[in-house]
Amino acid sequence: MTTHSTEQDTMPDSHIDGEFDEELNTSAKNTVNLTHQVTDDEVGTRLDKLASMVFEDFSRVQLQGFIEGGALTVNGAAQKPKYRVKLSDEIRLCAVIEDHSEDLPENIDIDVIYEDDDVVVINKPAGMVVHPGAGNRTGTLVNALLYHYPDSAHLPRAGLVHRIDKETTGLLVVARTKTAQMNLTEQLKDKSVYRHYQCICQGVPSDILRHSVIDLPIARHPTQRTKMAVRDGGRNAVTHIMKATSIHERYSLLDVRLETGRTHQIRVHLSHLGFALVGDPVYGAPIKSGLDKTHLEALKSFNRQALHAYKLGFIHPTTGEQMAFNAPLPDDMQTLIEVLSED
């Protein structure tokens, strides 16, 4: 037997949700309380499997996060996902989820690459925040989605499945139904979604390609809480460098594939290895000395991380068709490459 209740919770909290890249803070959240008492025919079932059966409004990825984070308990105590439930065990889920009742629709232009009844693929410009948060309540992609797709108001995060940083450009897939959102979230978990980025960084191809697979754990920086860092005990993070092309004797254009989706993953991994992205205000490195005036001015004036999500692929959540999309490099990155490539 499963029971539930919801109430408004205006206290800020962290949100546990599987593959979403960053913690999300909102001014209004719903506290969901769900309980289920184990019946005879459920005895011996793994906790994670039973949770997905009885708490149907949440994806397996979300429930896994709730179990690991202690939001989903058995008889008031945290258990491992593989715990085998016993007769009359009380499974309780007390989780904080977002409420978009205070996020306002705004008539903001968005570059829609593709849309149907289930999904939308968007090419995000630099400077656009994906999700409302402290200091960014308006002007975000979510505000735009709520205007252009009013039905998205009932979906968590207006249908967002993943995010890219404010100053990073490129492709995002957004779900238009709860079923599609859950399906795409599962695809992120099992790596059916593939994401390729292009970036301009310090370093030459011969040095960079020695690290074609970067497998280094990422966690919050120990003293600077707005930053991430490579740290022992952090979450598994894997980045693949697919290609490196020289555009200058000291700078390269990379094609990078994400296997995992950690906060600032590409920026952190490359900076840690000495190949910081051009323009990165958080993880960047000083501009190399000895450059001619034209190259130096071009690098100094590039005031965002030179990172673009140019390729996105996933399995359509309804048709099962393999979908693939590309977005060309934005003008500012193309111009920088042209200037750096000049002798």
Side-chain angles (χ1 to χ4, degrees), residues 262-298:
R262 308 302 176 215
T263 302
H264 303 167
Q265 179 173 317
I266 292 172
R267 299 163 64 189
V268 171
H269 271 170
L270 289 176
S271 176
H272 179 79
L273 294 172
F275 310 121
L277 269 60
V278 168
D280 193 327
V282 179
Y283 305 100
I287 296 173
K288 299 286 188 180
S289 61
L291 296 169
D292 67 41
K293 182 177 180 181
T294 301
H295 294 164
L296 182 62
E297 288 302 317

Side-chain angles (χ1 to χ4, degrees), residues 66-217:
F66 292 146
I67 294 170
E68 294 175 356
L72 194 155
T73 59
V74 180
N75 302 323
Q79 294 288 354
K80 299 290 187 182
K82 64 183 180 181
Y83 170 81
R84 301 283 179 175
V85 300
K86 300 177 177 61
L87 183 63
S88 298
D89 275 352
E90 182 185 79
I91 303 173
R92 178 180 292 274
L93 172 60
C94 183
V96 178
I97 59 174
E98 296 174 53
D99 177 7
H100 283 282
S101 61
E102 294 190 4
D103 292 336
L104 300 176
E106 295 182 61
N107 187 5
I108 302 168
D109 288 338
I110 50 178
D111 183 6
V112 177
I113 302 298
Y114 172 86
E115 69 175 300
D116 59 29
D117 291 340
D118 300 287
V119 297
V120 181
V121 177
I122 292 167
N123 185 16
K124 188 189 82 66
M128 175 180 273
V129 174
V130 170
H131 190 282
N136 294 292
R137 299 306 311 170
T138 62
T140 73
L141 178 58
V142 162
N143 297 116
L145 290 170
L146 292 170
Y147 177 88
H148 294 286
Y149 305 97
D151 288 346
S152 66
H154 74 281
L155 298 173
R157 297 176 220 99
L160 291 178
V161 178
H162 59 122
R163 75 185 293 168
I164 53 180
D165 297 328
K166 175 182 177 181
E167 298 300 343
T168 299
T169 57
L171 298 173
L172 287 162
V173 59
V174 181
R176 296 188 64 184
T177 69
K178 184 66 175 291
T179 300
Q181 190 175 29
M182 292 174 67
N183 180 284
L184 289 167
T185 301
E186 295 292 346
Q187 288 190 48
L188 277 166
K189 180 67 173 178
D190 66 22
K191 301 179 177 59
S192 300
V193 176
Y194 63 87
R195 294 161 289 168
H196 283 243
Y197 290 72
Q198 289 173 302
C199 59
I200 302 170
C201 70
Q202 292 187 2
V204 298
S206 58
D207 291 338
I208 295 168
L209 290 174
R210 291 176 187 150
H211 308 274
S212 58
V213 180
I214 307 172
D215 186 353
L216 296 170

